[in-house]
């Protein structure tokens, strides 16, 4: 189990995970700024960013790797909480 988990720590995987994390963070930041400007589309942009941040570790590390699963669960937990909180207040967005 430890060998398969540590096998995910290759240079290519770490580089790809970093790039995916930066892209997902920029998309969620763009969505948050759009919601700050009261644009409804910002909510869906934010949801896309969270979906990328959940799916990317599973794709990069694989579903059988503990690193990918724990990263996806951790990011997903926080991301889904914020999606629920933003979704409750989505009615206040105008455009």
């Amino acid at each position: 189990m430890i060998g398969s988990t540590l096998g995910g720590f290759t240079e290519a995987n770490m580089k790809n995970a970093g790039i995916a994390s930066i892209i997902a963070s920029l998309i969620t930041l763009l969505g948050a700024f759009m919601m700050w400007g009261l644009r409804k589309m910002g909510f869906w942009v934010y949801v896309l960013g969270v979906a990328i941040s959940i799916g990317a570790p599973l794709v990069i590390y694989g579903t059988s790797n503990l690193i990918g699963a724990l990263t996806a669960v951790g990011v997903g937990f926080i991301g889904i909480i914020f999606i629920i909180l933003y979704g409750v207040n989505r009615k206040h967005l105008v455009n």
Side-chain angles (χ1 to χ4, degrees), residues 8-69:
F9 279 125
T10 64
E11 183 178 343
N13 282 352
M14 298 302 283
K15 179 181 175 183
N16 292 337
I19 291 170
S21 177
I22 289 170
I23 290 170
S25 296
L26 289 175
I27 291 173
T28 55
L29 184 64
L30 175 66
F33 278 134
M34 290 172 72
M35 285 188 288
W36 191 19
L38 298 178
R39 296 179 59 195
K40 283 187 181 184
M41 186 62 153
F43 175 76
W44 297 111
V45 172
Y46 186 84
V47 170
L48 175 67
V50 170
I52 290 171
S53 66
I54 293 171
L58 295 175
V59 171
I60 293 169
Y61 295 113
T63 56
S64 63
N65 196 323
L66 189 61
I67 295 169

Side-chain angles (χ1 to χ4, degrees), residues 70-92:
L70 289 177
T71 303
V73 168
V75 169
F77 179 72
I78 300 296
I80 290 173
I81 287 174
F82 273 92
I83 287 173
I84 291 169
L85 292 172
Y86 287 142
V88 168
N89 291 306
R90 196 173 67 174
K91 61 186 172 212
H92 299 293

